Amino acid sequence: MPRAVVIVNRQAAAGRDRSSRLSAALTVLRTVGYLPEVRTTEAPGHAVELARDADTVPEDLLVVAGGDGTANEVASGRLRAGPTKTPIAVLPMGTGNDLAHLLGTGDDRRLLAALRGRRVAFRDVLAVETAADGLRAAMLFAAVGFASDLLRATTPRVKGLFGPRLCYSVGFFRALLRHECPTLRVRVGDRTWDEPMVVALAGNIAHAGGGMMRVAPGARMDDGEMNVSLIRATGRLEVARQFLRLVRGTHVSHPLVRYFPATAMEIEGTPPQSVAVDGEVLGHTPVHIEVRPSCLPFLVGHA
Ligand SMILES: [Mg+2]
């Protein structure tokens, strides 16, 4: 019988108890013919190791039971392990479940259909490399600048108080109160920009923040490209005024925004800046980000 190695992060969803959801998921896995093996994470970053070392064969399934942060760690571990044919199934059990929704496994009905259909698709991964954190995968986005402040300001308390849809908007305005634009040196091919910026972002998908913000309109995880947006420095009030355009994705036509496709990008910060990868803040600049086309297999349903 094929195995389902289930990597569980019990701290996901700001620590809300999801044990009944997990046992329901294990029952479903058995029903569709997998033998579940649960491996629980013990600390941040542990899922990277668990996923890297999971001794799976192509018929098995690697299951993420957590949020976008846990999915990121699992994808990072698989990226480090090298080419694999074992599909990754993402169960939505976190605060932001953007990846699960994109893969078409974002609710129980579609997850069950995807498990029954065993439809697998290879998706692009952004390979993000920093000196401190080594190689990480970004499934959603990688960014330097305001994105890290926003994620730090979206504390577990904010997540608990405002819930998955609103917490990132609250984080946005909390972060803005203290925000200073760093000077970033961004290189894409033979082009270089060296100036204060609000953010430099590489998008693998269109939406972030629990689906709230359309940070990279038109971005797809199957086109072999990342969507780069570079937002030139401006005042806090102007950033606040642009919030609704960011939600709608119309900010990319703003004169302060450069928005274009690319396959690789290098970012340095003065002083060094932390790097936001999916929902987590990791490492610091300099960072190299590049697209690995059709890199990891995922269980997919109908989105
Ligand atoms: Mg793309």
Side-chain angles (χ1 to χ4, degrees):
M1 186 186 273
R3 296 176 312 145
V5 176
V6 185
I7 298 181
V8 182
N9 175 6
R10 295 190 191 276
Q11 301 308 313
R16 279 195 292 274
D17 187 17
R18 294 288 167 95
S19 45
S20 58
R21 274 189 63 71
L22 178 63
S23 42
L26 297 181
T27 305
V28 168
L29 287 168
R30 284 188 204 97
T31 310
V32 296
Y34 289 100
L35 186 64
E37 271 177 32
V38 174
R39 298 181 189 173
T40 305
T41 63
E42 281 155 18
H46 191 200
V48 179
E49 291 166 45
L50 292 175
R52 185 197 57 202
D53 301 340
D55 48 341
T56 53
V57 297
E59 296 70 38
D60 293 338
L61 193 61
L62 187 65
V63 181
V64 182
D68 286 325
T70 318
N72 174 279
E73 290 193 9
V74 168
S76 296
R78 297 311 260 184
L79 183 65
R80 287 183 190 180
T84 172
K85 287 186 175 163
T86 307
I88 301 170
V90 184
L91 313 189
M93 293 177 112
T95 305
N97 297 302
D98 294 348
L99 185 59
H101 286 295
L102 266 154
L103 295 170
T105 58
D107 62 55
D108 293 348
R109 187 180 52 80
R110 288 189 299 171
L111 177 65
L112 183 61
L115 283 166
R116 288 218 169 100
R118 295 196 189 191
R119 196 168 138 236
V120 177
F122 281 77
R123 294 293 184 237
D124 302 345
V125 173
L126 305 186
V128 180
E129 202 145 16
T130 61
D133 263 291
L135 181 64
R136 294 289 295 228
M139 296 310 305
L140 312 176
F141 66 88
V144 174
F146 186 65
S148 305
D149 299 345
L150 190 161
L151 290 172
R152 282 204 193 93
T154 312
T155 56
R157 189 174 144 77
V158 169
K159 289 179 181 177
L161 276 172
F162 294 94
R165 291 287 296 174
L166 266 179
C167 64
Y168 296 103
S169 306
V170 173
F172 179 96
F173 288 101
R174 289 190 79 208
L176 194 57
L177 294 175
R178 290 174 305 223
H179 181 65
E180 305 281 345
C181 290
T183 296
L184 302 181
R185 186 183 165 86
V186 179
R187 253 191 321 239
V188 177
D190 54 9
R191 289 173 294 175
T192 302
W193 296 268
D194 194 347
E195 62 191 35
M197 291 187 200
V198 176
V199 73
L201 181 141
N204 199 31
I205 65 156
H207 290 83
M212 258 297 292
M213 296 173 204
R214 207 156 150 242
V215 294
R220 301 176 51 96
M221 52 202 315
D222 60 0
D223 62 358
E225 288 179 332
M226 57 194 195
N227 290 36
V228 171
S229 76
L230 308 178
I231 305 184
R232 247 180 293 169
T234 183
R236 290 176 191 147
L237 189 62
E238 181 60 16
V239 176
R241 282 161 47 105
Q242 296 304 322
F243 175 70
L244 280 180
R245 293 183 66 167
L246 183 66
V247 166
R248 296 184 191 120
T250 54
H251 64 290
V252 295
S253 61
H254 191 282
L256 289 173
V257 182
R258 299 183 190 91
Y259 191 62
F260 55 90
T263 53
M265 167 162 71
E266 196 91 38
I267 309 170
E268 290 168 66
T270 315
Q273 298 291 311
S274 43
V275 181
V277 176
D278 295 349
E280 310 297 308
V281 181
L282 303 165
H284 51 79
T285 55
V287 59
H288 179 82
I289 306 165
E290 68 175 45
V291 184
R292 302 269 177 94
S294 305
C295 179
L296 289 176
F298 288 90
L299 184 79
V300 294
H302 295 284

